[in-house]
Each structure stands twice: as C-alpha cells, then as structure tokens.
C-alpha cells in the first residue's frame, strides 16, 4: 500500500509541472465521479500526496462534475468577440454590478483598492456599476449593516453583487440576520421587500465565507499575536475582526438560507508555492498542512454552498488582476447571456434542496 501511495507523491520539480500534477491527480479525481470530495477527504489527499496534487485533483473534479462543468466550460470558452459584441452590451445594460469594498486583514492590499478597477472591467462590457464603501475600522456586523442600508436605499431590479475576502463573511452575516427576521415575521404573506430580493447573482471572490484558518496562524504564539495587533493598528483595522473570521467559530457550522432567486458563483484561488507573494508564504504553508488554500483562506471555507465554482490556478487571496480580470469578465458575460436567453444556472434550482454547509 505504501508503494502504491508513493506513486502519486511529489518527488522532483518535474512533478510540479502542470502535466506532472495532472497525471498524479487523475486517479484521485476519478474516485469522485458524482460529487465533490468532503473536507476530510480532501484533507486526506493533502496529507498523503501534498497540497499541489490535492488542489489539482479538486480542479479536475470540478471540471468533470455535471453540476459545475457546463458553466465552467462556457466561461473558459468565452472569447474576445463575445466580450466586445453589441448583443452583450445590450444585455449587460439591464444589470448593475455592485462591488463591496471589504478586504481581509493583512493581505497586503489596501481597503477597497480593487473597487474602481473591477468596476471598469464591468463597464467595458456594458454593465452599469456602483460600489458600497464599507469601513476598515468596522467589525463584520457593522459593515454588514452598511451593506444592508446601501442596498435598501439604492435599489436596482437586477443587481450583481461582488465581494472579496472579508466581504463574504459580511454578506453571510447579512444573509443570516435578514432571512432570520423575515422567516420569523408573524403573518405569512406579509413579508416586506428586503435588500436581498433584487440580487440576482452574488460573485464571491476569494471569500472567507466560513471564516479563515489563517487566524490560527496569527495566534500561534505571543510574538505573532503582538505582531498581528501592531499590523492591524497600523492599517486602521478593527481587532475584533480577527476573532469574527475565525473558522473555528460555531456560527460557521450552519449555513444561512439563500434567497431562492439568487445565484452564487465562487471564484477561488489555488496558487502554487512559486506564485505566492512573500507575505503569504508561511501562512500558505501553515494552511497547506490540511487543505489547499489561497494563502489566507482554506479552499472549502471560501465556498458559499450551494453555488457554482470557478477555480483560478495561480490566484492568491489578493485576487491579482492579471489572473482575475479575464475570468471575471467572462463570468459576467456568460451570466448576462444566460439571463437574456432565460437559461437558469445549474445552481438556481438547488437552493431549496441542497442548502447546507459541506459536511
């Protein structure tokens, strides 16, 4: 058995090439013909064969599963002609892409520095755009309240919401609070229109949807805790956020119910060690003991479920523009085209039956 396991393990640099990893990951991916691996199963693959093989196996599985593959293939096949077509601009003009400014602590990116660039990508396709200016000094719930208030005061009938990093946890908080309130209203049929009703699509980019295990790295020693607190203070960040995004919190063990009409696309980063910024090398290694990650957040903690998955190899928690721009544009284009043709995303009919966290 040990000899059999060693066949898939990384032995030299040639094994880290795309082809070498695909060859080693293929038999592992073949074991999952009708579902994603459970977190414990992906952890076993990571521990036995290394994080590079594990993330390649995961990508291969997503590329083949009927629930995810058709959308992923259409995104990857979307070409420049479609992105520049008048038909796309006509369809896109019906939507507003709203971008949330939130950002995970200590990523090396400034708060909200992605907003205007991402908005320019959407406008280049014909989408209307807006942004929500959350605050770095706020905690998760305070920023969730800002998102809620802005969505209510700036309604749009066909909204696409995009978050990054901490924004996923903030939006999850909003989902938990708002849907809990509406579910408990006294008289059926008397529910008021809420801020979530017009969100047709949520694009969750490198999100800490179920928190992040990087908090364990930040808290691993007294020195690291003091360094983290200093870094947060210099960045003007709220220290409470570190505890609020801790993946070990019981609040992350049960998922909120999504609005039935809202589709979800998870854009997840899967970098290799050679692609990491120096600031994330150690945290990536720390998290890679258990699961593939983007340098800040474990793969399965990034996923809002049920939702489609678009993995981007080489992208980290910083959501580097070179990696993200072509994919995000294609997601927007494919979604607008689907809506124009009345085509539902594969996840659209799953909200009632499959709304749970990964076991």
């Amino acid at each position: 058995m040990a000899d059999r396991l060693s066949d898939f393990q990384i032995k030299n640099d040639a094994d880290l090439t795309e082809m070498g990893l695909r060859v080693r990951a293929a038999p592992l991916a073949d074991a999952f013909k009708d579902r994603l691996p459970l977190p414990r199963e992906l952890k076993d693959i990571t521990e036995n064969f290394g994080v590079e093989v594990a993330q390649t196996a995961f990508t291969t599985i997503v590329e083949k599963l009927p629930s995810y593959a058709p959308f992923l293939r259409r995104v990857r096949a979307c070409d420049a002609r479609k992105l520049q077509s008048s038909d796309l601009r006509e369809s896109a003009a019906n939507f507003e892409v709203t971008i949330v400014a939130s950002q995970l602590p200590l990523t090396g990116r400034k708060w909200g520095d992605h907003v205007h660039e991402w908005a320019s990508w959407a406008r280049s396709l014909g989408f209307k755009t807006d942004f929500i200016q959350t605050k770095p000094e706020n905690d998760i719930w305070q920023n969730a309240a800002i998102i809620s208030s802005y969505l209510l005061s700036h309604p749009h009938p066909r909204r696409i919401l995009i978050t990054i990093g901490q924004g996923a946890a903030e939006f999850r908080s909003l989902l938990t609070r708002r849907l809990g309130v509406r579910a408990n209203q006294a008289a059926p049929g008397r529910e008021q229109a809420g801020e979530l009703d017009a969100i047709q699509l949520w694009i969750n980019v490198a999100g800490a949807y179920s928190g992040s295990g990087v908090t364990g790295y930040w808290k691993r020693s007294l020195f690291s805790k003091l360094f983290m607190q200093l870094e947060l203070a210099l960045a003007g960040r709220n220290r409470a956020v570190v505890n609020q995004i801790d993946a070990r919190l019981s609040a992350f063990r049960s998922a909120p119910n999504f609005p039935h009409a809202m589709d979800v696309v998870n854009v997840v980063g899967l970098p290799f060690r050679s692609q990491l910024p120096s600031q994330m090398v150690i945290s990536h290694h720390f998290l890679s003991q258990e699961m593939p990650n983007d340098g800040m957040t474990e793969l399965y903690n990034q996923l809002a479920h049920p939702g489609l998955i678009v993995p981007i190899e080489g992208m980290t928690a910083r959501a580097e523009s070179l990696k993200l721009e072509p994919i995000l544009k294609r997601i927007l284009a494919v979604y607008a085209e689907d809506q124009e043709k009345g085509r539902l995303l594969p996840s659209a009919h799953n909200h009632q039956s499959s709304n749970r966290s990964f076991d």
Side-chain angles (χ1 to χ4, degrees):
M1 181 65 176
D3 291 341
R4 177 64 175 161
L5 290 179
S6 68
D7 290 343
F8 304 104
Q9 292 170 342
I10 300 298
K11 302 180 181 66
N12 53 56
D13 289 346
D15 293 340
L16 289 172
T17 64
E18 180 179 356
M19 183 59 69
L21 288 169
R22 289 275 178 176
V23 168
R24 277 159 178 73
L28 299 168
D30 286 344
F32 300 92
K33 296 184 182 299
D34 59 355
R35 65 176 178 86
L36 292 176
L38 297 173
R40 63 177 178 272
E41 292 170 328
L42 192 60
K43 179 180 177 181
D44 286 343
I45 294 173
T46 303
E47 290 178 344
N48 284 292
F49 310 116
V51 69
E52 295 89 354
V53 171
Q55 67 189 50
T56 304
F58 178 86
T59 300
T60 304
I61 293 166
V62 171
E63 291 171 345
K64 293 181 178 180
L65 285 178
S67 300
Y68 304 100
F71 180 77
L72 184 56
R73 281 197 297 266
R74 296 205 331 272
V75 166
R76 290 178 173 175
C78 184
D79 59 21
R81 289 175 298 177
K82 182 174 289 186
L83 296 180
Q84 296 166 5
S85 70
S86 57
D87 288 345
L88 172 58
R89 298 191 70 82
E90 185 176 342
S91 300
N94 297 317
F95 295 89
E96 178 182 273
V97 174
T98 304
I99 302 168
V100 179
S102 300
Q103 182 66 252
L104 274 175
L106 311 185
T107 60
R109 293 197 68 158
K110 293 182 179 179
W111 186 269
D113 67 356
H114 64 288
V115 168
H116 295 297
E117 184 178 29
W118 292 14
S120 72
W121 300 344
R123 285 196 300 272
S124 73
L125 304 178
F127 289 91
K128 298 179 177 68
T129 62
D130 198 2
F131 71 94
I132 301 176
Q133 186 59 63
T134 50
K135 299 179 180 180
E137 64 268 21
N138 284 352
D139 68 11
I140 298 291
W141 287 99
Q142 289 170 326
N143 276 335
I146 290 176
I147 296 170
S148 173
S149 177
Y150 194 91
L151 293 175
L152 284 170
S153 60
H154 296 76
H156 191 282
R158 306 189 76 180
R159 172 171 274 127
I160 297 172
L161 189 76
I162 308 181
T163 61
I164 182 175
Q166 183 179 311
E170 293 165 352
F171 190 60
R172 179 181 179 136
S173 298
L174 175 57
L175 285 166
T176 301
R177 181 179 63 83
R178 282 295 303 169
L179 292 175
V181 168
R182 296 183 70 184
N184 291 322
Q185 287 179 338
R190 295 183 57 188
E191 294 91 345
Q192 298 179 355
E195 67 272 50
L196 305 179
D197 294 336
I199 299 176
Q200 291 193 218
L201 173 65
W202 172 32
I203 303 178
N204 165 33
V205 178
Y209 175 74
S210 295
S212 173
V214 78
T215 56
Y217 166 69
W218 291 337
K219 297 176 180 180
R220 68 194 186 282
S221 68
L222 177 59
F223 174 79
S224 63
K225 288 179 184 178
L226 293 174
F227 182 78
M228 170 197 67
Q229 291 171 359
L230 175 61
E231 289 284 297
L232 292 173
L234 292 174
R237 298 299 300 268
N238 191 314
R239 289 168 55 181
V241 166
V242 172
N243 293 322
Q244 291 175 333
I245 63 171
D246 193 326
R248 295 168 292 188
L249 290 176
S250 59
F252 290 128
R253 294 174 187 166
S254 59
N257 292 313
F258 288 95
H260 181 69
M262 187 179 76
D263 292 311
V264 181
V265 173
N266 300 286
V267 181
V268 298
L270 294 171
F272 297 112
R273 285 171 287 183
S274 61
Q275 298 164 319
L276 292 163
S278 58
Q279 188 175 10
M280 293 184 187
V281 170
I282 301 177
S283 58
H284 179 269
H285 177 74
F286 178 87
L287 297 174
S288 294
Q289 304 308 304
E290 295 201 356
M291 185 173 291
N293 62 89
D294 63 5
M296 297 289 286
T297 304
E298 301 93 324
L299 172 59
Y300 275 19
N301 286 347
Q302 295 180 50
L303 300 178
H305 184 70
L308 297 175
I309 302 171
V310 178
I312 302 182
E313 293 180 339
M315 189 181 83
T316 75
R318 292 184 180 180
E320 292 83 359
S321 298
L322 186 65
K323 296 288 185 179
L324 179 63
E325 179 182 1
I327 299 298
L328 187 56
K329 283 183 174 179
R330 292 170 185 173
I331 291 171
L332 291 170
V334 169
Y335 186 77
E337 180 185 47
D338 282 359
Q339 294 298 301
E340 185 68 21
K341 295 181 177 180
R343 182 189 295 151
L344 295 178
L345 291 188
S347 61
H349 56 81
N350 290 334
H351 288 296
Q352 297 301 318
S353 61
S354 302
N355 196 1
R356 58 178 174 77
S357 294
F358 289 102
D359 296 323

